[in-house]
Amino acid sequence: MRNIINFNAKWAFSKLATEIPTAIDKKWDFVNLPHSWNAIDGQDGDNDYFRGTAYYAKSFMKNDLPESERYYIEIKGANSSADLYLNGEKLAHHDGGYSTWRVDLTDKLSLSNMLVIAVDNAANETVYPQMADFTFYGGIYRDVNIICVNDSHFDLDYYGGPGIKVTPEIEGDNAKVEVEVYLTNSKIGQSVRYSIIDKEGGVVASVEADDTKVYLDIDNVHLWNGKKDPYLYTAKAELIEDNKVIDEISARFGCRTFEIDPERGFILNGEEYPLRGVS
């Protein structure tokens, strides 16, 4: 089964280093994630805050991780460009501070490991926006996880996506929900069990199939209705091999209709719904 290990604690940090470290420098600061090096100098509205490259380093033993066939690191947000190194070898580069990205570490892990993430929030020609009226906070400002999975698993490689896509369509008082999953290293004989679960935890629809796309019906669907009634269902997919669940993912979703009319404005579930906002 999938095992997600939070990796936020005790990273060595420096914005003074000039190269990838080969060992943890005890003179560096130690921080827990999420973290930004502009937490203070980026608050005053001036354009004098630090913009450049800073380094996060963390050592760990492979034996301290759960036994698994594959190991991914998941960085949910590092602003705005980053390079990831494991034991001195560069494994990945990512541009974009507001998107999740993952790296398969499996084949590069040793018994003892040092992970380094070099994060750069300097202006560049790749990451937008390049000018704005807010601070471009630098740092790893969202969670970092180690994801341990079976060799066959719901996809973790495609642009940080969740491996599942849910598309509901309202049909009268009911909803038809398309659930599509993406698999890595799937094998003959495996199947996927799809379930839709209501807010109270009850299973309202379920099917097991060999297909990566199915349609499930929700009778007397409870519509999502903005702040008044933000009702969400959960779509769950379980990868099954030899009657055993070897991976599982889920996604919450709401069922609703919407349209924009030039005379009536925004319409949610057939009723006018005023939208007011700024920025």
Side-chain angles (χ1 to χ4, degrees), residues 1-3 68-72 102 104 106 147-158 161-164 181-187 190 192 212 237-241 245-249:
M1 275 292 291
R2 177 173 302 210
N3 204 334
S68 188
E69 293 181 350
R70 304 216 70 80
Y71 298 91
Y72 284 80
R102 306 185 188 101
D104 188 347
T106 310
I147 304 178
C148 313
V149 289
N150 191 286
D151 190 54
S152 295
H153 57 271
F154 294 107
D155 185 82
L156 290 164
D157 293 289
Y158 189 71
I164 183 171
V181 297
Y182 305 89
L183 294 171
T184 297
N185 297 325
S186 60
K187 300 175 183 177
Q190 292 176 340
V192 179
T212 57
E238 299 166 293
L239 182 59
I240 298 173
E241 180 179 288
V245 177
I246 62 172
D247 197 16
E248 177 183 313
I249 53 173

Side-chain angles (χ1 to χ4, degrees), residues 141-208:
Y141 71 100
R142 291 179 182 155
D143 289 339
V144 170
N145 299 310
I146 297 290
I147 304 178
C148 313
V149 289
N150 191 286
D151 190 54
S152 295
H153 57 271
F154 294 107
D155 185 82
L156 290 164
D157 293 289
Y158 189 71
Y159 294 102
I164 183 171
K165 183 175 71 173
V166 183
T167 309
E169 183 176 349
I170 306 303
E171 297 181 345
D173 294 331
N174 307 320
K176 182 176 288 293
V177 183
E178 177 190 284
V179 183
E180 184 175 6
V181 297
Y182 305 89
L183 294 171
T184 297
N185 297 325
S186 60
K187 300 175 183 177
I188 294 175
Q190 292 176 340
S191 61
V192 179
R193 181 163 59 227
Y194 301 85
S195 303
I196 294 180
I197 302 164
D198 62 21
K199 186 179 179 180
E200 292 71 36
V203 177
V204 298
S206 182
V207 67
E208 187 171 330

Side-chain angles (χ1 to χ4, degrees), residues 15-257:
K15 59 183 181 183
L16 301 177
T18 57
E19 59 184 10
I20 303 301
T22 57
I24 298 295
D25 189 336
K26 294 183 179 179
K27 295 180 181 178
W28 287 19
D29 296 322
F30 284 86
V31 301
N32 294 325
L33 307 179
H35 173 263
S36 171
W37 61 74
N38 300 123
I40 296 176
D41 65 359
Q43 290 189 38
D44 59 9
D46 290 333
N47 207 29
D48 57 355
Y49 59 97
F50 177 79
R51 298 191 69 178
T53 300
Y55 297 86
Y56 295 85
K58 183 179 177 73
S59 58
F60 65 98
M61 302 294 292
K62 182 181 179 182
N63 289 345
D64 290 335
L65 299 175
E67 186 174 345
S68 188
E69 293 181 350
R70 304 216 70 80
Y71 298 91
Y72 284 80
I73 185 168
E74 176 182 63
I75 298 96
K76 291 200 168 183
N79 199 39
S80 53
S81 296
D83 295 298
L84 185 140
Y85 301 80
L86 181 65
N87 301 324
E89 180 180 353
K90 182 177 177 180
L91 299 187
H93 174 83
H94 180 79
D95 289 311
Y98 309 111
S99 55
T100 296
W101 51 292
R102 306 185 188 101
V103 183
D104 188 347
L105 304 179
T106 310
D107 297 333
K108 302 296 182 178
L109 284 172
S110 302
L111 181 62
S112 177
N113 301 276
M114 193 170 82
L115 191 65
V116 177
I117 304 176
V119 185
D120 184 4
N121 70 331
N124 62 60
E125 296 298 319
T126 302
V127 180
Y128 285 85
Q130 296 179 358
M131 295 182 62
D133 59 351
F134 54 80
T135 298
F136 292 91
Y137 286 96
I140 304 177
Y141 71 100
R142 291 179 182 155
D143 289 339
V144 170
N145 299 310
I146 297 290
I147 304 178
C148 313
V149 289
N150 191 286
D151 190 54
S152 295
H153 57 271
F154 294 107
D155 185 82
L156 290 164
D157 293 289
Y158 189 71
Y159 294 102
I164 183 171
K165 183 175 71 173
V166 183
T167 309
E169 183 176 349
I170 306 303
E171 297 181 345
D173 294 331
N174 307 320
K176 182 176 288 293
V177 183
E178 177 190 284
V179 183
E180 184 175 6
V181 297
Y182 305 89
L183 294 171
T184 297
N185 297 325
S186 60
K187 300 175 183 177
I188 294 175
Q190 292 176 340
S191 61
V192 179
R193 181 163 59 227
Y194 301 85
S195 303
I196 294 180
I197 302 164
D198 62 21
K199 186 179 179 180
E200 292 71 36
V203 177
V204 298
S206 182
V207 67
E208 187 171 330
D210 298 331
D211 298 324
T212 57
K213 181 191 292 186
V214 299
Y215 294 88
L216 296 169
D217 295 319
I218 303 176
D219 295 330
N220 298 312
V221 63
H222 191 138
L223 297 179
W224 181 92
N225 194 24
K227 291 179 64 177
K228 291 190 294 184
D229 187 11
Y231 191 96
L232 296 178
Y233 291 91
T234 297
K236 182 171 73 171
E238 299 166 293
L239 182 59
I240 298 173
E241 180 179 288
D242 297 329
N243 296 317
K244 180 182 177 181
V245 177
I246 62 172
D247 197 16
E248 177 183 313
I249 53 173
S250 62
R252 296 200 301 168
F253 67 98
C255 296
R256 76 287 181 269
T257 64

